[in-house]
Amino acid sequence: MGDKWRVEVDRSVCIGSGMCIGSAPDDFKLDAGRQSHPRLEILDSSDGIMEAAESCPVEAISIVDAESGETLFPPE
């Protein structure tokens, strides 16, 4: 079984660029207001999710290891 991540989008920062959808379309969605949301509260770790967080133009996406609580992105 792989790592699990808690992925959050700060919707007060999200500008709806859709970069996350391009990087990880199975893991993110945009609502009617073009605000990003992870599809599930806990997601399987993936390069696409990390790429989505790293490419977000306003750094609205955070990733935390669901088991340890360690912040994986953004770097502290």
Side-chain angles (χ1 to χ4, degrees):
M1 194 166 198
D3 292 334
K4 300 287 187 181
W5 290 347
R6 180 176 306 280
V7 179
E8 296 181 358
V9 176
D10 183 340
R11 282 171 268 178
S12 70
V13 176
C14 177
I15 61 171
S17 73
M19 296 289 290
C20 54
I21 304 297
S23 298
D26 294 334
D27 299 307
F28 291 93
K29 62 183 175 182
L30 295 180
D31 65 17
R34 291 200 47 87
Q35 295 290 290
S36 178
H37 302 266
R39 290 190 181 270
L40 299 170
E41 184 176 339
I42 303 293
L43 298 166
D44 291 329
S45 63
S46 77
D47 291 339
I49 294 171
M50 186 58 75
E51 182 180 325
E54 291 172 343
S55 66
C56 178
V58 293
E59 296 185 351
I61 301 170
S62 62
I63 302 171
V64 174
D65 184 287
E67 186 174 313
S68 71
E70 175 187 2
T71 298
L72 303 173
F73 192 88
E76 296 196 19

